[in-house]
Each structure stands twice: as structure tokens, then as C-alpha cells.
Amino acid sequence: MPEERSEAAGRALVTGCSSGIGLAVVTALLGQGWHVTGISRREPPIRAPGYRHIPADLSDSAAADSAFEAAGPVDAAVHAAGVLRVGDHQGMDMQDGALMWRLHVDVAARMIQTLAPRMADGGRFVLIGSRIAKGAPGRSLYAASKAALNGLARSCAAELAPRGITVNIVAPGATDTPMLRDPARADVAPKLPPLGRFVQPGEVAAMVAYLLSPPAASITGQEIVICGGASL
């Protein structure tokens, strides 16, 4: 049996780190003493000795592969990069769908494929999913791409379990990020959950940080929903 990681911090990689949930995850991990490598098109407003940035457009497969190779060995990886394109069954844009598949699913698969072989036993992967992966009006292609993460995460979790490497999904509901306020989604604006406010990025980041911690060593292949009661 592989040994559990004994240290609370190590080397982490976070995609989509320039804003929203990704930025919150980087901030949380740096606060816990992790050394963090962030990948995004724009450099985030982070000035910390434990942080380095790799600029890359992850929707470009070659650029994604190069960025993951440049990251080097890590103890944990978080895939937070994402986009939201909306449209009902009549207005679905297949190019938008292809973009979301590349960024949400293909990049996650490439990240795991590249990093897992170089990861020590007991490593961690967390993928940022979505509460609406089970389906929601006006979000068919987005929901489909996020739903695919469940199959990817559970399959990889089963394969990596003998090495003590965990793979989990954190699936937020409507979260107070720039994506939530995107004017392009005005026709399908999110509803407030029963708690009366949107999920905060820091709350999602806190769950991610827990899944990377030693006490979460037995959690793998799971989807953890954070939605303020919207799924009740």
C-alpha cells in the first residue's frame, strides 16, 4: 500500500488562475504554504515568492501540452480553467460546444496523462465541475462537457487508486465570479439559491484545499457539490 502524504503542503499546479475560482484556489494554497504554479492566458495579480506563472492558452492543445510539461513534477493539480457558453437546443453553437469540450474535458485529460506518471504516490487531482452537469435549460453543451468530467474523474480515480493518488470533482452552483456576471448569459441568468446568496469563490477554494490535505486521503472518485441549497 502506498504511504499517505505526511506534509500538508507541497507543489501544486492550478489552471485558470487569473480570476474567479482559480485565483481563489491559488490564494488559499499559498496561504497554506504550498508552492504554486499557475497556468492561464493572463497573469494573475499575485506577487508571492511561492508562486510562478506559465502563460498559455489551454484551448490550444499544443500549448496545453507544453504548459503541463513545463510545470514539472507536482504533488497536486487543480483544473479550474473554464468558459460558459449558453443556448437552448435550437440555438446551440457547436463551435462553442467544441471549445468547452477542449477546455473542460480534453485539458483535464491531458493534465492527468502528463502529470500522473511524474507524481509521487499519494498525489491529488481536483477538477472543477458544475452543479448543472446533470442538465439545465439553456446550458446543454456546457452541462455535457461538465458531465463528462464525472466519467473521466471516476475512471482515472480507479486506475490511480493503487498508488494512493486521488481524483475528485468539486462542483459549484452559481458562484460570484466574472463568469457569473458575463453579459452574454443575460438570457439565462442564474437564480439565487435557497441560502439567498451566490457561492463565494473562497468557499470553493476551501473545499479544494481540503481535498489536497492529508485528512482527505480516502476520498476519491467523488463529486462534491457546493450550491447553497440549489440542488435541494
Side-chain angles (χ1 to χ4, degrees):
M1 292 289 292
E3 295 183 0
E4 294 183 5
R5 292 176 55 239
S6 59
E7 298 181 358
R11 299 161 297 175
L13 179 143
V14 181
T15 70
C17 60
S18 62
S19 66
I21 292 172
L23 178 58
V25 170
V26 171
T27 301
L29 296 183
L30 288 172
Q32 293 183 355
W34 287 83
H35 292 272
V36 181
T37 296
I39 301 177
S40 61
R41 289 180 299 175
R42 301 185 309 276
E43 187 169 358
I46 297 173
R47 299 294 180 269
Y51 178 79
R52 71 163 175 146
H53 186 250
I54 298 175
D57 179 357
L58 292 175
S59 66
D60 180 300
S61 298
D65 288 341
S66 295
F68 292 136
E69 287 291 343
V74 296
D75 303 297
V78 180
H79 181 37
V83 295
L84 173 64
R85 299 290 185 268
V86 298
D88 63 17
H89 67 283
Q90 292 180 311
M92 291 186 294
D93 186 313
M94 300 307 166
Q95 290 186 335
D96 284 345
L99 170 63
M100 289 186 286
W101 181 272
R102 287 198 307 275
L103 192 54
H104 299 160
V105 185
D106 185 71
V107 171
R110 291 173 184 274
M111 181 181 78
I112 295 171
Q113 184 180 58
T114 302
L115 299 182
R118 302 187 304 215
M119 186 176 280
D121 291 353
R124 309 291 168 85
F125 288 100
V126 175
L127 314 178
I128 300 300
S130 172
R131 183 189 78 83
I132 65 171
K134 294 179 175 61
R139 298 168 176 83
S140 298
L141 296 179
Y142 177 79
S145 68
K146 290 296 188 176
L149 284 179
N150 288 316
L152 176 69
R154 289 181 64 83
S155 299
C156 291
E159 294 169 2
L160 292 169
R163 294 181 53 202
I165 295 176
T166 66
V167 185
N168 290 292
I169 291 177
V170 174
T175 305
D176 190 9
T177 66
M179 184 185 293
L180 186 78
R181 299 184 290 274
D182 186 349
R185 64 177 295 175
D187 292 339
V188 285
K191 297 178 181 179
L192 279 176
L195 285 183
R197 63 171 177 80
F198 295 121
V199 177
Q200 297 301 303
E203 295 169 336
V204 181
M207 177 56 69
V208 171
Y210 172 70
L211 290 172
L212 304 189
S213 71
S218 292
I219 302 173
T220 193
Q222 303 305 305
E223 179 190 41
I224 300 173
V225 176
I226 304 175
C227 66
S231 59
L232 294 174

